[in-house]
Amino acid sequence: MEFTYHDRQTLYDAWMSYKAKLRITQIEMAKRLGVSQLDFSKTLRGDVPLDRGFVLRFCKEIGLDPNHSLPSLKSNHVSVMTGDISVNTSLTVDGKVTKVEYSDNQVFIEYVKQL
């Protein structure tokens, strides 16, 4: 798979934000990723093609989900969920339940609270 200009721009913007927040240098990040500072810089500038391994390591390091952040992966990521699912919810009331009713998607609980 080839990454696009927009993917690179997304990674660059994420890097600039991460760098500003954590006050980290390119040299430090390059060490974390196991590449030279020059290779790191060339990759983000677009002098070399984005490598999938680099992208995944970089995203993991800065806490970015590539499937939800990179445009080319977003379009390939299809969520297939159809039909109904069953969900169970429980709650605790501060008293003794005396009556429970429901209507559509609302549940009404009547209870007696001791003072």
Side-chain angles (χ1 to χ4, degrees), residues 16-66:
M16 294 310 284
S17 176
Y18 185 83
K19 178 180 165 181
K21 287 178 189 171
L22 296 178
R23 300 176 193 264
I24 185 172
T25 66
Q26 273 192 358
I27 294 171
E28 291 172 293
M29 180 56 80
K31 283 181 184 177
R32 290 183 186 183
L33 297 173
V35 298
S36 72
Q37 184 273 329
L38 183 60
D39 288 341
F40 180 76
S41 178
K42 283 181 176 182
T43 302
L44 286 184
R45 274 197 329 255
D47 296 341
V48 296
L50 282 172
D51 168 77
R52 185 171 181 80
F54 173 86
V55 170
L56 296 178
R57 287 191 317 274
F58 180 75
C59 287
K60 183 178 180 183
E61 190 64 40
I62 67 171
L64 188 70
D65 183 348

Side-chain angles (χ1 to χ4, degrees), residues 42-94:
K42 283 181 176 182
T43 302
L44 286 184
R45 274 197 329 255
D47 296 341
V48 296
L50 282 172
D51 168 77
R52 185 171 181 80
F54 173 86
V55 170
L56 296 178
R57 287 191 317 274
F58 180 75
C59 287
K60 183 178 180 183
E61 190 64 40
I62 67 171
L64 188 70
D65 183 348
N67 292 319
H68 292 105
S69 303
L70 300 180
S72 63
L73 294 180
K74 276 188 202 176
S75 62
N76 292 336
H77 187 73
V78 178
S79 178
V80 179
M81 249 186 118
T82 59
D84 295 334
I85 60 169
S86 178
V87 179
N88 294 314
T89 302
S90 65
L91 62 102
T92 303
V93 295
D94 191 21

Side-chain angles (χ1 to χ4, degrees), residues 93 97-103 106-111:
V93 295
V97 176
T98 57
K99 186 176 176 183
V100 177
E101 294 180 4
Y102 68 92
S103 174
Q106 292 182 317
V107 177
F108 306 95
I109 301 170
E110 185 177 293
Y111 61 96

